Amino acid sequence: MKTFAQSINTALEEKLAEDPRVLLLGEDLRDPYGGAFKITKGLSSRYPDRVLNTPMSEFSLAGVAAGLAIRGLRPVLEIMFGDFMTFCADQLINHAVKFRWMYNGQVDVPLVIRTPMGGGRGYGPTHSQSLEKIFMGIPGLKIIAASHFHDAGTLLKDAIDDDNPVLFIEHKLLYPRKIGQPVDGYISDFAVKFSDGRYKTLRLSNTDFDDPQLTVLVYGGMLPWVTEAVNELLVEEEVGAEIVVPSYINQSFIPEMMESVKTTGRLVIVEEGTLSFGWGAEMAARIVTHESIGSLKAPVRRVAAKDLPLANSRVLEEATLPQVRDIKKAVQEVLAS
């Protein structure tokens, strides 16, 4: 069973092997370093002309990668830490995602930007943020965030094959985790259902989808915290939950979320980004304004990071980021309403 990091590395190797248009760009990608999190380790030795070390200039890199995509290549750009996506913003927002419209559909921009997001490793305020919400509302940009229950490598290969710009989010804490593989309809303790389509949404249940009491919506690196919380509540309080885990997190409509909430009438949304103006707020708004949902049994609860910069101190970092106890509390509150 591969780890999350191995799955991505294998996917990159397979795409380099099968498609000569694919090339990897980023800071310190080449061997022996293999990138800050060793995701590209070994690839430059096999494909020395297509795994390229670059200067430390994210703004320039995003522009070069967009240009390569316009010219018919399929660049995969690694931004060493997601915090540095702020340097890419102009090239991504004002150029890459707009070229198809500006040139009346005559060009595609098959660009993938891979970047690790999230805290939990004590890296401090400028290397630990979850900034994907800054890019959520940009028309033409797809944001994909794999959990450890998704096949991260398959998602990445699908992103490379996509003719649209894709921001591919990888949570740092998932890199060493084993990828959960479905066996007889289960992943670990959870019955699982997969959506159709390229970027799959998972529905997980710790009660075999038998009369769940609430829905928990989560993506990416927070899934391990959610599965731990709902399993503890099943043992302690006999709470059955359904977990909805999209990989395409800024899609305009998540039918699996709607279907689950129509069944349960209760929703807890969990994310690692800061609480205010976040992904959870948008998802909650879509739920409460959708004509098919009707009245919920309880107000939507949201679990997210406090609206503070992350400290280097592990104690302060933990106090700022959402924890298992916070998820359990939110579930208990929504059930008590």
Side-chain angles (χ1 to χ4, degrees), residues 24-25 31 37 53 63 65 72 83 96 108 128 166 180 188 203 232 241 259 266 269 272 279 297 302 310 321 323:
L24 312 184
L25 304 90
D31 293 331
F37 295 94
N53 280 348
D83 312 69
D108 294 323
S128 305
V166 175
S188 185
R203 291 175 71 173
E232 288 183 7
E259 292 167 11
R266 299 181 177 91
I269 305 174
E272 189 174 309
W279 176 77
K297 297 176 183 177
R302 295 177 55 209
L310 289 171
L321 295 174
Q323 304 296 324

Coordinates of all heavy atoms in Angstrom, one line a residue, residues 24-25 31 37 53 63 65 72 83 96 108 128 166 180 188 203 232 241 259 266 269 272 279 297 302 310 321 323:
L24 N 8.1 18.9 -15.5 CA 8.0 19.4 -14.1 C 8.9 20.6 -13.9 O 10.1 20.5 -14.3 CB 8.3 18.3 -13.1 CG 7.7 16.9 -13.3 CD1 8.1 15.9 -12.2 CD2 6.2 17.0 -13.5
L25 N 8.4 21.6 -13.2 CA 9.2 22.8 -12.9 C 9.0 23.1 -11.4 O 8.0 22.9 -10.8 CB 8.7 24.0 -13.7 CG 8.7 23.9 -15.2 CD1 7.3 23.4 -15.7 CD2 9.0 25.3 -15.8
D31 N 17.3 15.6 -8.4 CA 18.0 14.8 -7.4 C 19.4 15.5 -7.2 O 19.9 16.1 -8.1 CB 18.2 13.4 -8.0 CG 16.9 12.6 -8.1 OD1 16.0 12.9 -7.3 OD2 16.8 11.8 -9.0
F37 N 9.6 18.2 0.0 CA 8.9 17.0 0.6 C 9.2 15.7 -0.1 O 8.5 14.7 0.0 CB 7.4 17.3 0.7 CG 7.1 18.4 1.6 CD1 7.0 19.7 1.2 CD2 7.0 18.2 3.0 CE1 6.7 20.8 2.0 CE2 6.7 19.3 3.9 CZ 6.6 20.5 3.4
N53 N 15.0 22.4 -12.4 CA 15.1 23.3 -11.3 C 15.0 24.7 -11.8 O 15.4 25.1 -12.9 CB 16.5 23.2 -10.7 CG 16.6 22.0 -9.7 OD1 15.6 21.4 -9.3 ND2 17.8 21.7 -9.3
G63 N 4.1 32.5 -14.6 CA 4.0 33.0 -16.0 C 4.6 32.2 -17.0 O 4.0 31.9 -18.1
A65 N 5.1 28.9 -16.8 CA 4.3 27.7 -16.9 C 3.0 27.9 -17.7 O 2.7 27.1 -18.5 CB 4.0 27.2 -15.5
G72 N 1.2 24.3 -25.9 CA 0.9 22.9 -26.2 C 1.5 21.9 -25.3 O 1.3 20.7 -25.4
D83 N 1.9 28.8 1.0 CA 1.9 30.2 1.4 C 2.5 31.1 0.2 O 2.1 32.3 0.1 CB 2.8 30.4 2.6 CG 2.5 29.4 3.7 OD1 2.8 28.2 3.5 OD2 2.0 29.8 4.7
A96 N -3.5 33.2 -16.7 CA -3.7 31.8 -17.0 C -5.2 31.4 -17.1 O -5.6 30.7 -18.1 CB -3.1 30.9 -16.0
D108 N -6.0 26.5 -25.1 CA -6.2 25.8 -23.8 C -5.0 26.1 -22.9 O -3.9 26.5 -23.4 CB -6.3 24.3 -23.9 CG -7.6 23.9 -24.7 OD1 -8.6 24.6 -24.5 OD2 -7.5 22.9 -25.5
S128 N 2.7 27.6 6.9 CA 1.7 26.7 7.5 C 0.3 27.0 7.2 O -0.6 26.3 7.7 CB 1.8 26.7 9.1 OG 3.2 26.4 9.5
V166 N -5.4 24.0 -13.1 CA -5.8 23.3 -11.9 C -4.8 23.7 -10.8 O -3.6 23.6 -11.0 CB -5.8 21.8 -12.1 CG1 -6.0 21.0 -10.8 CG2 -6.8 21.4 -13.1
G180 N -5.9 5.0 1.6 CA -6.9 4.1 2.0 C -7.5 3.4 0.7 O -8.0 4.1 -0.2
S188 N -11.1 1.3 5.5 CA -10.9 1.3 7.0 C -12.3 0.9 7.6 O -12.8 -0.1 7.3 CB -10.4 2.6 7.5 OG -10.2 2.6 8.9
R203 N -18.5 9.4 -0.2 CA -19.4 9.4 0.9 C -19.1 8.2 1.8 O -19.0 7.1 1.4 CB -20.9 9.2 0.4 CG -21.4 10.4 -0.4 CD -22.7 10.2 -1.0 NE -23.8 10.2 0.0 CZ -25.1 10.2 -0.3 NH1 -25.5 10.1 -1.6 NH2 -26.0 10.1 0.7
E232 N -15.1 8.0 17.5 CA -15.2 8.1 19.0 C -16.7 8.4 19.4 O -17.1 7.8 20.4 CB -14.3 9.3 19.5 CG -12.8 8.9 19.4 CD -11.9 10.0 19.9 OE1 -12.5 11.0 20.5 OE2 -10.7 9.9 19.8
A241 N -22.8 8.9 11.6 CA -22.5 10.0 10.8 C -22.2 9.6 9.4 O -21.7 8.5 9.1 CB -21.4 10.9 11.3
E259 N -27.6 15.5 -1.4 CA -28.3 14.3 -1.1 C -28.2 13.8 0.4 O -29.2 13.4 1.0 CB -27.8 13.2 -2.0 CG -28.1 13.4 -3.5 CD -27.4 12.5 -4.4 OE1 -26.7 11.5 -3.9 OE2 -27.4 12.7 -5.6
R266 N -29.0 17.6 9.1 CA -28.0 18.3 10.0 C -26.6 18.3 9.3 O -26.3 17.3 8.7 CB -27.9 17.6 11.4 CG -29.2 17.5 12.2 CD -28.9 16.8 13.5 NE -30.1 16.8 14.4 CZ -31.0 15.8 14.4 NH1 -30.8 14.8 13.5 NH2 -32.0 15.9 15.2
I269 N -19.5 21.4 9.0 CA -18.5 21.6 8.0 C -17.2 21.8 8.7 O -17.0 22.6 9.6 CB -18.9 22.8 7.1 CG1 -20.3 22.6 6.5 CG2 -17.9 22.9 6.0 CD1 -20.8 23.8 5.8
E272 N -9.5 23.5 7.5 CA -8.4 23.9 8.3 C -8.1 25.4 8.1 O -7.5 26.1 8.9 CB -7.1 23.2 7.9 CG -6.0 23.5 8.9 CD -4.8 22.6 8.7 OE1 -4.9 21.4 8.6 OE2 -3.7 23.2 8.5
W279 N -14.4 28.5 2.9 CA -15.1 27.5 2.1 C -16.3 27.0 2.8 O -17.4 26.9 2.2 CB -14.1 26.3 1.9 CG -14.6 25.1 1.2 CD1 -14.9 25.0 -0.2 CD2 -15.0 23.9 1.8 NE1 -15.3 23.7 -0.4 CE2 -15.4 23.0 0.7 CE3 -15.0 23.4 3.1 CZ2 -15.8 21.7 1.0 CZ3 -15.4 22.1 3.3 CH2 -15.8 21.2 2.3
K297 N -32.9 20.5 10.4 CA -33.3 20.2 11.8 C -32.5 21.0 12.8 O -32.9 21.1 14.0 CB -33.1 18.7 12.1 CG -33.9 17.8 11.2 CD -33.6 16.3 11.5 CE -34.4 15.4 10.6 NZ -34.0 14.0 10.8
R302 N -19.9 25.1 11.9 CA -18.6 25.2 11.2 C -17.5 25.0 12.2 O -17.4 25.6 13.2 CB -18.5 26.5 10.4 CG -19.5 26.6 9.3 CD -19.4 28.0 8.7 NE -18.0 28.2 8.2 CZ -17.4 29.4 8.1 NH1 -18.1 30.5 8.4 NH2 -16.2 29.4 7.6
L310 N -0.6 31.5 12.4 CA -0.1 30.3 13.1 C 1.2 30.6 13.7 O 2.1 31.1 13.1 CB -0.1 29.2 12.1 CG -1.4 28.6 11.7 CD1 -1.2 27.6 10.6 CD2 -2.2 28.0 12.8
L321 N -5.5 25.7 15.4 CA -6.0 24.9 14.3 C -7.2 24.0 14.9 O -7.2 23.7 16.1 CB -4.9 23.9 13.8 CG -3.8 24.6 13.0 CD1 -2.7 23.6 12.6 CD2 -4.4 25.3 11.8
Q323 N -9.2 20.8 16.1 CA -8.8 19.5 16.6 C -10.0 18.6 16.7 O -11.1 19.0 16.5 CB -8.2 19.7 18.0 CG -7.0 20.7 18.0 CD -5.8 20.2 17.2 OE1 -5.5 19.0 17.2 NE2 -5.1 21.2 16.6

